Amino acid sequence: MGSLKTAKRTQVICIILLVGIIISLNTNGVESRKARNSDWFEYSAISCRAHSASLEEFGGVGDGTTSNTKAFKAAIDHLSRFQSEGGSQLFVPPGKWLTGSFNLTSHFTLFLHKDAVLLASQDEKEWPVIEPLPSYGRGRDTEGGRYSSLIFGTNLTDVVITGDNGTIDGQGELWWRKFRAGELKYTRPYLIEIMYSQNIQISNLTLINSPSWNVHPVYSSSVIVQGITILAPVTSPNTDGINPDSCTNTRIEDCYIVSGDDCVAVKSGWDQYGIAYGMPTKQLIIRRLTCISPFSAVIALGSEMSGGIQDVRAEDITAIDSESGVRIKTAVGRGGFVKDVYVRRMTMKTMKWAFWITGSYGSHPDNNYDPHALPVIQNINYRDMVAENVTMAARLEGIAGDPFTGICISNVTIELTNKPKKLQWNCTDITGISSGVTPKPCELLPDHEPAQTTECNFPDNRLPVENMGVQMCSYKANYL
């Protein structure tokens, strides 16, 4: 009888333990199903990848406070092994991923989920200091070095920085305060900078509150910047949108930018340093751009243009509440050239100036510039534009003894604000022609019949960057 009771007790205990194990397994399974997520992404890119990983696999924590700088470094170091094996992709899941500067690798894609936010660290120790750009000779904010960009790469091939409209937040307020107070030790970091590289795609992301410039491809070729939204307070200092710098074959398209500085600023080096480096920006396409920049330009060429700027084609541009539509900035000492610039189908609403060219921008890296180094500005073409609520049509100011030549403006209608400037066209030291322009241009741009304004025609040949193809890539992401 006692043995029977013992056997029953043992059986009950076993049943209880078994039920507990089953409940535990089921609960863990439920928790796992709740904790794990799976998304299937399709996106267009210049290259698809054979290998992939998630930042979480390398210790990444998306809580907004844990530093992920080491996690990014570990992940990219690991994935760099696959450069010759079909390339690799790093997936950034939903979350707020605090990080300092990190470097990319070749044959690599960085992909941000739509609910992923990269938060730029405000700890200066997480920002390595690197040498000034050789074509600038010093930092833009201070003499000497500069902080490495948040996302940085040099001597790379085949790199894609993209996402499902994920966000990169530069948390720039701290940097802006230091800049205004003169407390910076080095030049502020940018959000994305790619140097000495080729076959680069930056697309489908939102960039906000950059410490300084947002996107800076430099000394690179075959670059696509596409579908980018850039947002910064309009009073934030030097938060340029996209700055192609000494680059060949660049395509900027389908971007929306609200900026404290120029929305697109085309550059190629500063004074004697840019002249010595001698690498122009050329074969640049800008199209389907919308810009708001109350204190700067929609498209600026310069002022750092000492290596030269040539063959720039901009079309289908919308400018809203901006200081100027197209602005060429240069000065004595810059040297270099800006030539073969073509802009068409631009719509401007609420502008201070529609066009602005200045040869007296100043701002030199040091006092060693050559005062005899004069810039060449020639063959500048604007056509098929409308503007409304404009204070002044144009300021076109060359350099005495160094006139800016070959300026052509045709089929442009500018409607003025209720309180316009009395002088609508201020022209000095320039030559050119116009046709079908309202209000009537200055005497230095005499009116010609449309048949005589062939220089204003937009080129119809294709640039090599237009032939950079993309393909549909797919990726299944599993994440917590």
Side-chain angles (χ1 to χ4, degrees):
M1 189 72 175
S3 60
L4 182 59
K5 288 182 178 179
T6 300
K8 286 184 177 180
R9 280 198 302 270
T10 302
Q11 185 178 17
V12 169
I13 291 170
C14 290
I15 292 171
I16 292 172
L17 289 172
L18 181 60
V19 170
I21 292 170
I22 292 172
I23 291 172
S24 176
L25 288 173
N26 286 341
T27 303
N28 287 339
V30 170
E31 289 177 352
S32 177
R33 286 195 296 274
K34 287 182 178 179
R36 301 298 297 179
N37 292 276
S38 179
D39 279 334
W40 183 266
F41 300 100
E42 286 191 338
Y43 61 95
S44 61
I46 56 175
S47 299
C48 301
R49 310 303 181 190
H51 303 271
S52 62
S54 170
L55 186 63
E56 291 174 320
E57 297 174 38
F58 298 87
V61 179
D63 60 4
T65 57
T66 302
S67 174
N68 291 281
T69 308
K70 292 182 179 178
F72 273 107
K73 184 179 186 303
I76 295 170
D77 284 351
H78 170 77
L79 292 170
S80 66
R81 303 174 188 176
F82 303 109
Q83 289 185 34
S84 60
E85 301 176 18
S88 60
Q89 174 173 281
L90 178 61
F91 173 72
V92 182
K96 294 183 177 181
W97 307 89
L98 184 69
T99 181
S101 173
F102 60 89
N103 295 346
L104 304 182
T105 188
S106 290
H107 305 292
F108 175 80
T109 296
L110 178 68
F111 187 97
L112 273 63
H113 186 278
K114 65 182 177 63
D115 295 321
V117 180
L118 293 192
L119 289 175
S121 173
Q122 297 190 313
D123 181 355
E124 289 187 11
K125 293 191 293 293
E126 296 218 75
W127 300 87
V129 177
I130 59 178
E131 292 294 316
L133 293 169
S135 59
Y136 284 71
R138 53 160 284 173
R140 289 298 284 113
D141 295 335
T142 66
E143 295 182 3
R146 58 202 187 98
Y147 292 105
S148 180
S149 297
L150 181 66
I151 300 174
F152 181 72
T154 184
N155 294 297
L156 302 179
T157 298
D158 180 24
V159 172
V160 178
I161 305 169
T162 190
D164 189 22
N165 203 31
T167 300
I168 301 173
D169 185 349
Q171 300 201 103
E173 179 64 39
L174 173 68
W175 298 96
W176 305 334
R177 288 201 307 267
K178 288 185 176 182
F179 171 76
R180 291 181 176 121
E183 297 174 351
L184 289 170
K185 297 178 181 178
Y186 306 102
T187 291
R188 288 166 288 164
Y190 309 144
L191 286 188
I192 301 173
E193 182 177 68
I194 305 295
M195 299 174 57
Y196 305 113
S197 299
Q198 61 184 353
N199 296 331
I200 306 299
Q201 174 186 334
I202 303 168
S203 62
N204 299 326
L205 297 167
T206 296
L207 279 54
I208 64 175
N209 299 324
S210 177
S212 185
W213 301 352
N214 281 268
V215 179
H216 185 224
V218 58
Y219 316 139
S220 296
S221 63
S222 301
V223 179
I224 298 174
V225 183
Q226 183 182 62
I228 296 292
T229 298
I230 295 175
L231 304 174
V234 295
T235 56
S236 56
N238 311 116
T239 51
D240 299 36
I242 303 165
N243 290 6
D245 195 343
S246 294
C247 288
T248 299
N249 276 315
T250 303
R251 192 172 88 218
I252 300 168
E253 59 190 9
D254 302 310
C255 294
Y256 177 85
I257 302 174
V258 181
S259 172
D261 212 311
D262 303 320
C263 287
V264 174
V266 186
K267 301 178 181 291
S268 67
W270 202 6
D271 285 5
Q272 69 271 27
Y273 304 103
I275 293 171
Y277 200 79
M279 182 178 285
T281 289
K282 58 185 180 179
Q283 297 178 323
L284 169 64
I285 292 172
I286 306 167
R287 59 194 182 196
R288 298 187 298 276
L289 166 72
T290 299
C291 166
I292 299 174
S293 182
F295 304 105
S296 289
V298 175
I299 298 173
L301 298 103
S303 74
E304 306 92 331
M305 41 61 67
S306 301
I309 297 171
Q310 185 172 17
D311 198 355
V312 177
R313 308 177 184 191
E315 57 185 330
D316 301 315
I317 311 296
T318 301
I320 303 168
D321 190 16
S322 295
E323 185 177 60
S324 57
V326 181
R327 184 180 182 188
I328 298 175
K329 304 183 285 186
T330 187
V332 170
R334 286 290 193 271
F337 53 85
V338 177
K339 56 187 180 181
D340 305 333
V341 175
Y342 308 93
V343 185
R344 69 177 177 183
R345 296 200 300 262
M346 187 171 189
T347 301
M348 295 173 270
K349 301 179 181 180
T350 308
M351 312 291 293
K352 189 172 184 179
W353 296 286
F355 309 115
W356 189 4
I357 299 176
T358 178
S360 58
Y361 193 75
S363 178
H364 301 285
D366 52 44
N367 294 323
N368 298 320
Y369 66 91
D370 179 2
H372 302 292
L374 300 178
V376 174
I377 311 298
Q378 67 181 29
N379 194 25
I380 311 299
N381 301 271
Y382 306 132
R383 66 171 300 150
D384 305 334
M385 301 183 181
V386 293
E388 62 183 55
N389 200 29
V390 176
T391 303
M392 183 174 179
R395 283 179 59 184
L396 307 176
E397 303 161 342
I399 297 173
D402 179 35
F404 299 168
T405 63
I407 297 172
C408 181
I409 305 177
S410 65
N411 190 29
V412 173
T413 301
I414 300 171
E415 295 181 2
L416 303 178
T417 183
N418 292 331
K419 296 181 179 180
K421 293 282 187 180
K422 290 183 179 179
L423 179 64
Q424 278 300 305
W425 292 80
N426 185 15
C427 306
T428 57
D429 299 300
I430 66 160
T431 66
I433 58 176
S434 65
S435 176
V437 178
T438 304
K440 184 180 178 181
C442 56
E443 292 182 356
L444 296 180
L445 296 175
D447 186 270
H448 284 227
E449 294 298 322
Q452 296 177 267
T453 59
T454 55
E455 297 149 303
C456 286
N457 288 342
F458 201 89
D460 56 9
N461 65 307
R462 290 174 63 85
L463 294 178
V465 73
E466 295 183 84
N467 298 324
M468 280 185 68
V470 296
Q471 54 189 302
M472 288 305 298
C473 304
S474 58
Y475 171 63
K476 185 177 182 181
N478 296 304
Y479 53 92
L480 295 176

